[in-house]
Amino acid sequence: MIVVVQFFLFVLGLYLLAKFANRYLFKESREKSILQNSGISREQWDEAFQQLPLLRGLSNEEIQSLEELCILFMHNKTFEGAQGFQVTPHVMLIISLQACLPILRLGLSCYDNFSTIIIYPEGFVTNRQKMDDNGIVDHDRTHTLGESWLRGPVILSWHDSKQSGVEDGSNLVIHEFAHKLDMQNGVANGFPPLHKNMNSSDWVREFSKAYDYFINHCKGDQLHGFDCYGASDPAEFFSVFSEMFFEKPGKVRKHFPEVHNLLELYYRQTPISRLKG
Ligand SMILES: [Zn+2]
């Protein structure tokens, strides 16, 4: 009996060792191979970067990191076209560059909670509630432009995704992927998992204060350039402020300095140092 148990433990040890090696020891060589065989030309990268002014000011090291993140992101995720939409390498690059900008200092594992990105040619019709019991968060201004599903796909309108990234404060792609960051610890509620050097009490206090101010003063379409859609609920507030943080960080710092500081700590980036707005 003892021999059987010892044999079982030996086999179990080998299995765990192989799993560990595959996950951690071989990860680097596997990713290196993916990066070397991306098939994306310099011209394709340059064309995509030119279409996205919000990437201006990134250092060469940051550009390289962002490109590597994008390649791995495109390798790991499935891109599906809806309503006959053709997903081209350019489409994947435009979406991936914007999706990966927020996780430039956070890492790709933040997006482990989904595998598929569905792209419609333009806005699409949905009859869902804004946030239902299944944790579906809609992004519905005049019609639905994008959605993030808890443990499900990100859904985007290409028409609006390609018009994002122009530093006007509105960015559909960052908005929907900010919901995914928010969903790392459950239903989107404006409270993503924080880093060890962050204080959850500070986050709750400052975001609650800013949110209360926002819902009391944001009565039309915008307040100080912020989309009043952020007054819908704390999850939308976090996503709208994430859009502004990467598109118009100067406005976030001017009108909501404490929230700006917390977003800098969370995203581990300082877009204000590279953008004018
Ligand atoms: Zn939303």
Side-chain angles (χ1 to χ4, degrees):
M1 183 64 185
I2 292 175
V3 174
V4 172
V5 171
Q6 284 179 330
F7 178 74
F8 174 75
L9 290 175
F10 176 72
V11 172
L12 180 64
L14 281 179
Y15 170 76
L16 292 175
L17 188 63
K19 205 168 176 182
F20 175 83
N22 186 49
R23 181 161 185 177
Y24 297 105
L25 301 183
F26 303 142
K27 184 183 175 194
E28 196 173 323
S29 61
R30 195 168 60 236
E31 289 186 347
K32 193 175 176 183
S33 171
I34 294 167
L35 294 174
Q36 287 174 340
N37 297 291
S38 76
I40 303 169
S41 68
R42 192 64 253 161
E43 289 72 24
Q44 286 175 301
W45 284 117
D46 291 345
E47 183 186 2
F49 271 89
Q50 281 173 11
Q51 199 174 320
L52 300 169
L54 88 164
L55 302 178
R56 277 188 301 111
L58 288 173
S59 68
N60 290 337
E61 177 259 332
E62 288 171 325
I63 289 173
Q64 185 180 345
S65 296
L66 183 59
E67 289 181 359
E68 290 180 358
L69 261 182
C70 283
I71 292 168
L72 297 173
F73 178 80
M74 290 186 288
H75 180 84
N76 292 344
K77 305 303 180 194
T78 302
F79 289 72
E80 295 179 2
Q83 294 180 340
F85 182 73
Q86 293 294 313
V87 178
T88 65
H90 181 67
V91 168
M92 292 171 68
L93 277 184
I94 292 296
I95 289 174
S96 300
L97 281 166
Q98 295 178 89
C100 290
L101 179 64
I103 60 163
L104 185 59
R105 302 290 185 200
L106 303 181
L108 203 52
S109 61
C110 292
Y111 289 157
D112 280 350
N113 54 359
F114 70 101
S115 60
T116 305
I117 298 147
I118 299 172
I119 308 163
Y120 281 76
E122 49 192 24
F124 49 96
V125 176
T126 174
N127 295 318
R128 294 186 192 93
Q129 297 297 313
K130 193 171 64 58
M131 181 185 285
D132 66 18
D133 293 339
N134 295 317
I136 298 170
V137 176
D138 293 350
H139 183 210
D140 187 4
R141 288 177 174 141
T142 54
H143 55 295
T144 301
L145 309 178
E147 291 181 347
S148 287
W149 289 36
L150 185 66
R151 292 184 288 276
V154 173
I155 309 174
L156 296 168
S157 150
W158 169 241
H159 176 76
D160 299 275
S161 298
K162 71 181 178 184
Q163 291 182 345
S164 297
V166 295
E167 285 187 77
D168 62 357
S170 176
N171 191 304
L172 173 67
V173 181
I174 289 178
H175 181 105
E176 296 305 334
F177 283 88
H179 280 319
K180 279 297 180 192
L181 295 174
D182 196 355
M183 289 172 182
Q184 287 177 97
N185 52 2
V187 175
N189 58 3
F191 192 88
L194 304 180
H195 309 304
K196 285 180 181 172
N197 66 333
M198 298 182 71
N199 186 312
S200 57
S201 299
D202 291 346
W203 185 277
V204 171
R205 184 184 64 251
E206 297 304 336
F207 269 81
S208 298
K209 195 165 68 179
Y211 178 62
D212 287 344
Y213 177 88
F214 201 68
I215 57 177
N216 285 325
H217 293 85
C218 212
K219 301 298 182 186
D221 290 337
Q222 289 192 339
L223 173 68
H224 308 313
F226 292 76
D227 191 339
C228 287
Y229 188 69
S232 306
D233 58 51
E236 299 304 343
F237 185 80
F238 173 68
S239 277
V240 165
F241 271 63
S242 292
E243 292 179 69
M244 286 293 282
F245 179 70
F246 285 104
E247 293 255 345
K248 294 279 188 187
K251 284 189 178 291
V252 186
R253 188 171 72 173
K254 180 179 179 183
H255 299 288
F256 300 93
E258 292 84 6
V259 170
H260 181 264
N261 290 342
L262 289 168
L263 288 172
E264 279 194 339
L265 282 173
Y266 176 68
Y267 284 110
R268 293 171 169 160
Q269 293 189 49
T270 55
I272 199 164
S273 67
R274 61 176 188 260
L275 300 177
K276 292 177 185 170

mmCIF file of all heavy atoms in Angstrom, residues 130 137-141 146-148 172 175-176 179 229 232-233 235-237 239-240 243, ligand 1:
data_model
loop_
_atom_site.group_PDB
_atom_site.id
_atom_site.type_symbol
_atom_site.label_atom_id
_atom_site.label_comp_id
_atom_site.label_asym_id
_atom_site.label_seq_id
_atom_site.Cartn_x
_atom_site.Cartn_y
_atom_site.Cartn_z
ATOM 1 N N LYS A 130 -28.967 47.840 -18.925
ATOM 2 C CA LYS A 130 -27.627 48.395 -18.842
ATOM 3 C C LYS A 130 -26.684 47.486 -18.057
ATOM 4 O O LYS A 130 -25.565 47.233 -18.448
ATOM 5 C CB LYS A 130 -27.673 49.780 -18.213
ATOM 6 C CG LYS A 130 -26.374 50.530 -18.370
ATOM 7 C CD LYS A 130 -26.512 51.946 -17.931
ATOM 8 C CE LYS A 130 -26.828 52.009 -16.451
ATOM 9 N NZ LYS A 130 -25.787 51.336 -15.659
ATOM 10 N N VAL A 137 -22.587 44.626 -19.003
ATOM 11 C CA VAL A 137 -22.550 46.076 -18.958
ATOM 12 C C VAL A 137 -22.696 46.602 -20.378
ATOM 13 O O VAL A 137 -21.918 46.253 -21.252
ATOM 14 C CB VAL A 137 -21.224 46.571 -18.354
ATOM 15 C CG1 VAL A 137 -21.162 48.085 -18.394
ATOM 16 C CG2 VAL A 137 -21.082 46.063 -16.936
ATOM 17 N N ASP A 138 -23.710 47.403 -20.614
ATOM 18 C CA ASP A 138 -23.899 47.988 -21.937
ATOM 19 C C ASP A 138 -23.210 49.341 -22.008
ATOM 20 O O ASP A 138 -23.036 50.016 -21.019
ATOM 21 C CB ASP A 138 -25.400 48.213 -22.209
ATOM 22 C CG ASP A 138 -26.156 46.915 -22.329
ATOM 23 O OD1 ASP A 138 -25.506 45.872 -22.384
ATOM 24 O OD2 ASP A 138 -27.388 46.973 -22.369
ATOM 25 N N HIS A 139 -22.868 49.710 -23.224
ATOM 26 C CA HIS A 139 -22.347 51.043 -23.491
ATOM 27 C C HIS A 139 -23.289 51.617 -24.519
ATOM 28 O O HIS A 139 -23.162 51.361 -25.707
ATOM 29 C CB HIS A 139 -20.908 50.943 -24.022
ATOM 30 C CG HIS A 139 -20.290 52.271 -24.255
ATOM 31 N ND1 HIS A 139 -19.350 52.503 -25.216
ATOM 32 C CD2 HIS A 139 -20.470 53.444 -23.639
ATOM 33 C CE1 HIS A 139 -18.976 53.758 -25.186
ATOM 34 N NE2 HIS A 139 -19.648 54.359 -24.240
ATOM 35 N N ASP A 140 -24.284 52.321 -24.046
ATOM 36 C CA ASP A 140 -25.409 52.662 -24.893
ATOM 37 C C ASP A 140 -25.678 54.154 -24.827
ATOM 38 O O ASP A 140 -26.313 54.630 -23.903
ATOM 39 C CB ASP A 140 -26.629 51.856 -24.415
ATOM 40 C CG ASP A 140 -27.807 52.016 -25.348
ATOM 41 O OD1 ASP A 140 -27.642 52.683 -26.389
ATOM 42 O OD2 ASP A 140 -28.876 51.481 -25.032
ATOM 43 N N ARG A 141 -25.156 54.858 -25.800
ATOM 44 C CA ARG A 141 -25.401 56.302 -25.794
ATOM 45 C C ARG A 141 -26.661 56.573 -26.614
ATOM 46 O O ARG A 141 -27.713 56.796 -26.056
ATOM 47 C CB ARG A 141 -24.173 57.025 -26.309
ATOM 48 C CG ARG A 141 -23.046 56.958 -25.249
ATOM 49 C CD ARG A 141 -21.746 57.582 -25.675
ATOM 50 N NE ARG A 141 -20.806 57.587 -24.543
ATOM 51 C CZ ARG A 141 -19.516 57.335 -24.662
ATOM 52 N NH1 ARG A 141 -18.977 57.048 -25.835
ATOM 53 N NH2 ARG A 141 -18.734 57.366 -23.600
ATOM 54 N N GLY A 146 -20.781 49.316 -27.913
ATOM 55 C CA GLY A 146 -19.893 48.289 -27.382
ATOM 56 C C GLY A 146 -20.450 47.688 -26.115
ATOM 57 O O GLY A 146 -21.330 48.261 -25.470
ATOM 58 N N GLU A 147 -19.958 46.511 -25.784
ATOM 59 C CA GLU A 147 -20.367 45.828 -24.557
ATOM 60 C C GLU A 147 -19.185 45.043 -24.014
ATOM 61 O O GLU A 147 -18.322 44.600 -24.778
ATOM 62 C CB GLU A 147 -21.499 44.822 -24.823
ATOM 63 C CG GLU A 147 -22.830 45.425 -25.180
ATOM 64 C CD GLU A 147 -23.892 44.354 -25.402
ATOM 65 O OE1 GLU A 147 -23.518 43.169 -25.512
ATOM 66 O OE2 GLU A 147 -25.067 44.705 -25.458
ATOM 67 N N SER A 148 -19.179 44.854 -22.699
ATOM 68 C CA SER A 148 -18.246 43.918 -22.061
ATOM 69 C C SER A 148 -19.068 42.960 -21.225
ATOM 70 O O SER A 148 -19.832 43.395 -20.366
ATOM 71 C CB SER A 148 -17.254 44.666 -21.160
ATOM 72 O OG SER A 148 -16.306 45.355 -21.922
ATOM 73 N N LEU A 172 -14.004 54.450 -27.247
ATOM 74 C CA LEU A 172 -14.843 53.265 -27.052
ATOM 75 C C LEU A 172 -14.026 52.049 -26.631
ATOM 76 O O LEU A 172 -14.435 51.286 -25.739
ATOM 77 C CB LEU A 172 -15.590 52.947 -28.363
ATOM 78 C CG LEU A 172 -16.380 51.642 -28.372
ATOM 79 C CD1 LEU A 172 -17.564 51.712 -27.413
ATOM 80 C CD2 LEU A 172 -16.851 51.306 -29.788
ATOM 81 N N HIS A 175 -12.781 52.314 -23.108
ATOM 82 C CA HIS A 175 -13.962 52.217 -22.239
ATOM 83 C C HIS A 175 -14.337 50.755 -21.978
ATOM 84 O O HIS A 175 -14.495 50.341 -20.820
ATOM 85 C CB HIS A 175 -15.137 52.947 -22.898
ATOM 86 C CG HIS A 175 -16.387 52.940 -22.087
ATOM 87 N ND1 HIS A 175 -16.841 54.041 -21.393
ATOM 88 C CD2 HIS A 175 -17.289 51.941 -21.827
ATOM 89 C CE1 HIS A 175 -17.956 53.724 -20.754
ATOM 90 N NE2 HIS A 175 -18.261 52.453 -21.004
ATOM 91 N N GLU A 176 -14.470 49.979 -23.042
ATOM 92 C CA GLU A 176 -14.914 48.595 -22.868
ATOM 93 C C GLU A 176 -13.852 47.733 -22.176
ATOM 94 O O GLU A 176 -14.183 46.860 -21.368
ATOM 95 C CB GLU A 176 -15.302 47.981 -24.215
ATOM 96 C CG GLU A 176 -16.493 48.657 -24.894
ATOM 97 C CD GLU A 176 -17.737 48.724 -24.015
ATOM 98 O OE1 GLU A 176 -17.904 47.894 -23.110
ATOM 99 O OE2 GLU A 176 -18.550 49.646 -24.242
ATOM 100 N N HIS A 179 -13.792 48.182 -18.495
ATOM 101 C CA HIS A 179 -14.788 47.310 -17.834
ATOM 102 C C HIS A 179 -14.163 45.944 -17.551
ATOM 103 O O HIS A 179 -14.406 45.334 -16.503
ATOM 104 C CB HIS A 179 -16.012 47.119 -18.724
ATOM 105 C CG HIS A 179 -16.988 48.267 -18.701
ATOM 106 N ND1 HIS A 179 -17.339 48.941 -17.557
ATOM 107 C CD2 HIS A 179 -17.708 48.844 -19.707
ATOM 108 C CE1 HIS A 179 -18.227 49.888 -17.848
ATOM 109 N NE2 HIS A 179 -18.461 49.854 -19.144
ATOM 110 N N TYR A 229 -22.452 60.121 -19.454
ATOM 111 C CA TYR A 229 -22.761 58.684 -19.353
ATOM 112 C C TYR A 229 -22.088 58.087 -18.119
ATOM 113 O O TYR A 229 -22.563 57.097 -17.547
ATOM 114 C CB TYR A 229 -22.275 57.982 -20.626
ATOM 115 C CG TYR A 229 -22.698 56.545 -20.729
ATOM 116 C CD1 TYR A 229 -24.030 56.195 -20.923
ATOM 117 C CD2 TYR A 229 -21.760 55.516 -20.636
ATOM 118 C CE1 TYR A 229 -24.414 54.871 -21.009
ATOM 119 C CE2 TYR A 229 -22.138 54.187 -20.729
ATOM 120 C CZ TYR A 229 -23.471 53.875 -20.915
ATOM 121 O OH TYR A 229 -23.841 52.565 -21.001
ATOM 122 N N SER A 232 -24.010 57.209 -14.950
ATOM 123 C CA SER A 232 -24.970 56.088 -14.938
ATOM 124 C C SER A 232 -24.814 55.218 -13.699
ATOM 125 O O SER A 232 -25.782 54.852 -13.046
ATOM 126 C CB SER A 232 -24.790 55.214 -16.183
ATOM 127 O OG SER A 232 -24.871 55.970 -17.355
ATOM 128 N N ASP A 233 -23.570 54.868 -13.392
ATOM 129 C CA ASP A 233 -23.269 54.039 -12.220
ATOM 130 C C ASP A 233 -21.748 54.031 -12.037
ATOM 131 O O ASP A 233 -21.006 54.493 -12.911
ATOM 132 C CB ASP A 233 -23.828 52.617 -12.360
ATOM 133 C CG ASP A 233 -23.293 51.908 -13.579
ATOM 134 O OD1 ASP A 233 -22.066 51.893 -13.764
ATOM 135 O OD2 ASP A 233 -24.099 51.353 -14.345
ATOM 136 N N ALA A 235 -19.509 51.792 -12.324
ATOM 137 C CA ALA A 235 -18.739 51.081 -13.354
ATOM 138 C C ALA A 235 -18.528 51.977 -14.570
ATOM 139 O O ALA A 235 -17.418 52.061 -15.118
ATOM 140 C CB ALA A 235 -19.464 49.799 -13.766
ATOM 141 N N GLU A 236 -19.586 52.666 -15.001
ATOM 142 C CA GLU A 236 -19.452 53.571 -16.148
ATOM 143 C C GLU A 236 -18.571 54.757 -15.794
ATOM 144 O O GLU A 236 -17.821 55.253 -16.630
ATOM 145 C CB GLU A 236 -20.837 54.036 -16.622
ATOM 146 C CG GLU A 236 -21.759 52.933 -17.085
ATOM 147 C CD GLU A 236 -21.164 52.067 -18.189
ATOM 148 O OE1 GLU A 236 -20.183 52.476 -18.826
ATOM 149 O OE2 GLU A 236 -21.672 50.938 -18.371
ATOM 150 N N PHE A 237 -18.648 55.206 -14.545
ATOM 151 C CA PHE A 237 -17.802 56.311 -14.087
ATOM 152 C C PHE A 237 -16.326 55.937 -14.244
ATOM 153 O O PHE A 237 -15.520 56.702 -14.779
ATOM 154 C CB PHE A 237 -18.121 56.613 -12.621
ATOM 155 C CG PHE A 237 -17.393 57.813 -12.070
ATOM 156 C CD1 PHE A 237 -17.856 59.091 -12.327
ATOM 157 C CD2 PHE A 237 -16.247 57.653 -11.305
ATOM 158 C CE1 PHE A 237 -17.173 60.203 -11.821
ATOM 159 C CE2 PHE A 237 -15.571 58.752 -10.800
ATOM 160 C CZ PHE A 237 -16.035 60.029 -11.049
ATOM 161 N N SER A 239 -15.013 53.675 -16.242
ATOM 162 C CA SER A 239 -14.643 53.526 -17.652
ATOM 163 C C SER A 239 -14.558 54.875 -18.362
ATOM 164 O O SER A 239 -13.638 55.111 -19.147
ATOM 165 C CB SER A 239 -15.652 52.611 -18.369
ATOM 166 O OG SER A 239 -15.321 51.254 -18.152
ATOM 167 N N VAL A 240 -15.508 55.766 -18.088
ATOM 168 C CA VAL A 240 -15.460 57.102 -18.708
ATOM 169 C C VAL A 240 -14.221 57.866 -18.238
ATOM 170 O O VAL A 240 -13.539 58.522 -19.036
ATOM 171 C CB VAL A 240 -16.756 57.889 -18.383
ATOM 172 C CG1 VAL A 240 -16.582 59.372 -18.692
ATOM 173 C CG2 VAL A 240 -17.934 57.321 -19.175
ATOM 174 N N GLU A 243 -11.189 56.528 -20.016
ATOM 175 C CA GLU A 243 -11.087 57.135 -21.359
ATOM 176 C C GLU A 243 -10.399 58.486 -21.264
ATOM 177 O O GLU A 243 -9.460 58.784 -22.019
ATOM 178 C CB GLU A 243 -12.478 57.370 -21.953
ATOM 179 C CG GLU A 243 -13.286 56.172 -22.317
ATOM 180 C CD GLU A 243 -14.658 56.590 -22.865
ATOM 181 O OE1 GLU A 243 -14.725 57.160 -23.957
ATOM 182 O OE2 GLU A 243 -15.674 56.329 -22.169
HETATM 183 ZN ZN ZN B 1 -19.746 51.125 -20.323
#
